[in-house]
């Protein structure tokens, strides 16, 4: 979402860093420390910024962060919520998906779970243009590939 | 657990070209406020969920792996590495005049065991035909700690007020200079929220006030209040590392212990119990409820909402209470939570950060 002016005056990038940080719990220590420290980025600023922006997620949810470090030691970052598979595994209460999806059912989740996951995913940068219904369909598709059954209600 | 959803079967790649040349370990001359014992105690309770590496220690070395792979699969490989157990990955930008099509990914792992397995799984999951060549190097935590500290420069918050790191000389010897060695605690003076709070204090303090720094971090606000003329400061925090850092910073600024009291409190907001439970110490600084003229809490949205009653309870009726550490879009939640407790609420903002300030309503019942 950059304006034309921003694109024309883009700062030179020095590196792209990816890591996983628990929501609201960034500290200037591993994994954040070594990854950002070597580019001389301001760790405190990142931690404070990241923690403030992830307040709306459940504490300690692992968030995928992508940081763009510029040559002048400034940086920008985007935060993605955990993958759909992570949410599905949590909702279904399992650690691993099914070994043989389509044949063996690992566990089940209800439509309400799907709806709740879709609502969280809607605030992700790449999902914002999708309708809630299409996000739900995509999540149900993922559930099928993991061998997780979607039921109307749990008995 | 390690992302088996990615693909159905693994094929281990037989030809491994590995060169591991661990660099000479630098046995830490750690900077002064950080002793190994203290550091490991901070991370005792580091959060562990099933998808994060479990060994996070500030005293053990970490492993930095440089992987060389084709440019067009670099992004996907980085993501795959994270799924399979890397702590982080980073890619340097290449100049457009680089002839070859290979790019280097630097990946950090906390456990040497994981490296080889992780790379082979990741390479396979993105469809690389052969295992990329990689080099493992041991890094000491000291490396990045030192680099981070080098990036602190003196900051002029407002005219006549400077925050200066311990290892630099103040640019203006006549200004009010706060000397800091933040260690791992928040508060270096550069962050917009710290600036907002410092400017607020600067404007508020006339002399002789009692100040409470709720969530003191490096102690910067408590120290600043005393420098501006407050009678005494109390700083509380849930992080033992913060109390350690703040105590040292107080000493650096030659503040006598009877002017500034720093206490560790439990995270559930039972601050009054801890503080009143202490026998009045020889310093003579005791804190009962409703005894502070200014209370500032620069933390995060969720604790501010949960602990609102506790934060406000420390202020005298009509005293100033300010909260920060919130981004502008979070201000409505704060307003909703604090309106019953405070009046004459005003909001100041720098960049995307906000500070909400008000005076405690008189006649509030104290729980």
């Amino acid at each position: 979402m950059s304006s034309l002016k921003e694109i024309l005056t883009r700062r030179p990038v020095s590196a792209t860093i990816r890591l996983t940080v628990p929501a609201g719990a960034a500290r200037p220590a591993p994994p954040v420390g070594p990854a950002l420290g070597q580019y001389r980025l301001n760790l405190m600023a990142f931690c404070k910024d990241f923690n403030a922006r992830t307040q709306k997620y459940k504490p300690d949810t692992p968030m995928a962060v992508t940081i763009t470090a510029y040559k002048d030691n400034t940086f920008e970052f985007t935060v993605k919520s955990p993958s759909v598979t992570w949410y599905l595994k949590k909702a279904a209460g399992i650690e691993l998906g099914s070994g043989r999806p389509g044949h063996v059912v690992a566990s089940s989740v209800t439509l309400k779970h799907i709806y709740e996951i879709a609502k969280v995913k809607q605030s992700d940068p790449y999902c914002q243009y999708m309708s809630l219904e299409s996000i739900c369909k995509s999540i149900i598709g993922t559930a099928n590939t993991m061998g997780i059954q979607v039921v109307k209600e749990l008995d | 657990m390690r992302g088996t959803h990615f693909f159905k079967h693994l094929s281990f790649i037989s030809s491994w070209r590995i060169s591991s040349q661990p660099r000479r370990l630098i046995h830490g001359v750690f900077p002064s406020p950080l002793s190994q014992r203290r550091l490991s105690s901070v991370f005792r309770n580091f959060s562990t969920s099933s998808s994060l590496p479990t060994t996070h220690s500030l005293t053990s070395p970490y492993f930095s792996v440089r992987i060389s792979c084709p440019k067009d699969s670099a992004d996907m490989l980085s993501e795959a590495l994270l799924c399979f157990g890397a702590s982080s990955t980073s890619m340097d930008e290449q100049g457009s005049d680089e002839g070859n099509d290979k790019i280097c990914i630097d990946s950090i792992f906390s456990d040497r065991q994981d490296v080889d397995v992780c790379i082979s799984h990741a390479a396979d999951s993105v469809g690389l035909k052969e295992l990329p060549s990689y080099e493992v190097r041991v890094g000491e935590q000291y490396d990045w700690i030192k680099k981070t500290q080098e990036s602190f420069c003196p900051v002029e918050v407002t005219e006549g007020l400077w925050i200066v790191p311990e290892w630099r000389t103040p640019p203006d010897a006549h200004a009010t200079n706060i000397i800091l060695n933040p260690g791992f605690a928040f508060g270096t003076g550069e962050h917009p929220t710290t600036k907002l709070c410092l400017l607020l204090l600067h404007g508020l303090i006339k002399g002789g006030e009692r100040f409470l720094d709720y969530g003191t971090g490096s102690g910067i606000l408590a120290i600043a209040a005393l420098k501006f003329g407050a009678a005494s400061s109390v700083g509380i925090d849930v992080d033992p590392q913060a109390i350690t850092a703040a105590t040292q910073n107080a000493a650096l600024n030659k503040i006598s212990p009877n002017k500034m009291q720093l206490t560790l409190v439990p995270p559930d907001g039972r601050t009054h119990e801890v503080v009143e439970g202490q026998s009045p110490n020889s310093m003579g600084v005791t804190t009962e409820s409703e005894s502070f003229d200014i209370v500032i809490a620069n933390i995060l949205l969720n604790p501010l909402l949960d602990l609102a009653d506790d934060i406000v309870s420390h202020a005298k009726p009509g005293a100033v209470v300010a909260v920060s550490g919130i981004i502008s879009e979070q201000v409505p939640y704060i307003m909703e939570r604090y309106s019953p407790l405070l009046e004459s609420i005003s909001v100041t903002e720098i960049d995307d950060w906000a500070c909400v300030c008000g005076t405690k309503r008189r006649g509030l019942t104290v729980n």
Side-chain angles (χ1 to χ4, degrees):
Chain A
M1 252 164 287
S2 352
S3 67
L4 186 62
K5 183 156 177 264
E6 280 176 44
I7 295 175
L8 292 174
T9 54
R10 243 187 211 154
R11 293 170 280 181
V13 178
S14 76
T16 307
I17 308 167
R18 288 187 175 82
L19 57 150
T20 310
V21 190
R27 306 200 65 105
V32 177
L36 274 67
Q38 56 174 313
Y39 294 99
R40 296 175 195 272
L41 302 181
N42 193 332
L43 290 179
M44 305 293 183
F46 170 73
C47 290
K48 190 102 177 171
D49 209 334
F50 173 83
N51 287 339
R53 287 180 202 284
T54 52
Q55 286 292 285
K56 58 185 176 215
Y57 293 100
K58 197 162 155 212
D60 294 334
T61 316
M63 314 293 296
V65 190
T66 306
I67 301 161
T68 310
Y70 298 103
K71 288 207 159 65
D72 56 355
N73 289 350
T74 54
F75 62 89
E76 281 173 354
F77 66 93
T78 54
V79 177
K80 272 196 335 188
S81 55
S83 61
V84 170
T85 47
W86 186 86
Y87 276 111
L88 283 170
K89 280 192 236 174
K90 274 209 98 183
I94 52 174
E95 281 279 324
L96 294 175
S98 158
R100 295 177 59 217
H103 300 275
V104 175
V105 170
S107 183
S108 20
V109 294
T110 60
L111 278 178
K112 187 157 197 310
H113 285 131
I114 304 285
Y115 177 62
E116 294 292 328
I117 298 174
K119 281 207 295 197
V120 177
K121 277 285 156 183
Q122 213 181 20
S123 52
D124 248 18
Y126 62 89
C127 277
Q128 271 166 359
Y129 59 88
M130 292 166 72
S131 72
L132 207 57
E133 198 192 326
S134 34
I135 300 179
C136 284
K137 282 196 187 150
S138 149
I139 297 173
I140 294 176
T142 310
N144 289 338
T145 62
M146 293 167 72
I148 294 180
Q149 215 179 29
V150 181
V151 296
K152 280 235 167 65
E153 277 154 19
L154 284 175
D155 321 306
Chain B
M1 193 263 289
R2 294 266 178 91
T4 50
H5 58 273
F6 250 79
F7 52 97
K8 308 283 189 298
H9 56 272
L10 306 178
S11 54
F12 280 90
I13 300 164
S14 50
S15 66
W16 295 49
R17 289 170 289 149
I18 309 166
S19 58
S20 44
Q21 300 153 10
R23 286 224 196 118
R24 183 75 190 85
L25 298 186
I26 310 165
H27 269 290
V29 174
F30 278 89
S32 45
L34 311 169
S35 78
Q36 302 210 350
R37 192 176 19 94
R38 269 186 236 135
L39 295 172
S40 45
S41 74
V42 172
F43 301 106
R44 222 187 314 121
N45 303 323
F46 208 84
S47 71
T48 55
S49 73
S50 58
S51 45
L52 290 178
T54 48
T55 48
H56 283 301
S57 164
L58 213 64
T59 52
S60 63
Y62 61 94
F63 299 92
S64 173
V65 183
R66 176 160 279 228
I67 305 165
S68 165
C69 79
K71 257 187 194 162
D72 39 11
S73 31
D75 275 329
M76 292 201 302
L77 186 61
S78 302
E79 304 242 346
L81 283 167
L82 281 180
C83 283
F84 283 106
S87 298
S88 63
T89 65
S90 51
M91 276 193 304
D92 287 343
E93 276 300 292
Q94 298 241 316
S96 52
D97 43 37
E98 288 277 339
N100 55 5
D101 62 344
K102 293 239 172 217
I103 194 170
C104 283
I105 301 177
D106 284 307
S107 186
I108 295 181
F109 290 80
S110 47
D111 197 343
R112 180 68 182 85
Q113 257 80 293
D114 298 339
V115 177
D116 311 318
V117 175
C118 169
I119 295 182
S120 76
H121 285 194
D124 207 40
S125 80
V126 300
L128 286 182
K129 296 214 176 30
E130 50 182 18
L131 191 73
S133 61
Y134 58 93
E135 179 189 323
V136 182
R137 180 170 62 85
V138 184
E140 277 293 349
Q141 303 293 352
Y142 176 70
D143 298 343
W144 63 267
I145 294 174
K146 186 154 194 306
K147 276 212 170 126
T148 320
Q149 296 195 319
E150 280 167 16
S151 63
F152 289 141
C153 295
V155 172
E156 185 174 25
V157 178
T158 178
E159 201 175 313
L161 174 64
W162 286 81
I163 317 284
V164 182
E166 185 192 2
W167 46 86
R168 297 206 199 259
T169 48
D172 180 359
H174 298 292
T176 311
N177 291 317
I178 302 177
I179 317 287
L180 270 199
N181 189 340
F184 290 105
F186 291 125
T188 57
E190 300 166 311
H191 200 268
T193 54
T194 318
K195 282 193 187 151
L196 283 167
C197 295
L198 284 170
L199 289 171
L200 187 71
L201 271 179
H202 191 65
L204 275 177
I205 292 192
K206 312 279 180 286
E209 288 94 344
R210 293 197 64 212
F211 172 61
L212 175 63
D213 191 0
Y214 199 105
T216 188
S218 61
I220 183 171
L221 296 179
I223 296 171
L226 288 171
K227 295 235 169 185
F228 295 149
S232 66
S233 282
V234 175
I236 58 179
D237 206 298
V238 299
D239 181 3
Q241 190 66 28
I243 301 296
T244 312
T247 315
Q248 275 153 356
N249 286 326
L252 274 178
N253 287 279
K254 306 195 184 13
I255 294 182
S256 60
N258 63 346
K259 288 268 199 178
M260 184 151 127
Q261 183 191 7
L262 295 162
T263 318
L264 190 64
V265 293
D268 51 11
R270 292 181 296 125
T271 56
H272 287 283
E273 277 180 29
V274 171
V275 163
E276 282 167 36
Q278 287 177 352
S279 52
N281 41 32
S282 55
M283 306 171 197
V285 180
T286 53
T287 47
E288 311 97 29
S289 61
E290 299 214 327
S291 58
F292 291 97
D293 301 297
I294 306 177
V295 177
I296 296 192
N298 184 4
I299 33 186
L300 289 167
L301 177 70
N302 288 342
L304 285 176
L305 296 176
D306 294 335
L307 301 169
D309 292 318
D310 191 60
I311 295 172
V312 178
S313 71
H314 286 288
K316 289 181 189 160
V320 176
V321 178
V323 299
S324 191
I326 43 182
I327 48 181
S328 302
E329 65 180 36
Q330 295 170 337
V331 171
Y333 299 112
I334 296 284
M335 298 291 266
E336 192 190 325
R337 182 70 178 89
Y338 280 79
S339 296
L341 305 166
L342 305 178
E343 55 193 359
S344 321
I345 298 183
S346 61
V347 181
T348 43
E349 294 187 21
I350 292 182
D351 294 339
D352 202 21
W353 298 90
C355 177
V356 178
C357 174
T359 49
K360 178 170 173 177
R361 287 185 195 267
R362 294 175 194 276
L364 276 182
T365 48
V366 177
N367 302 43

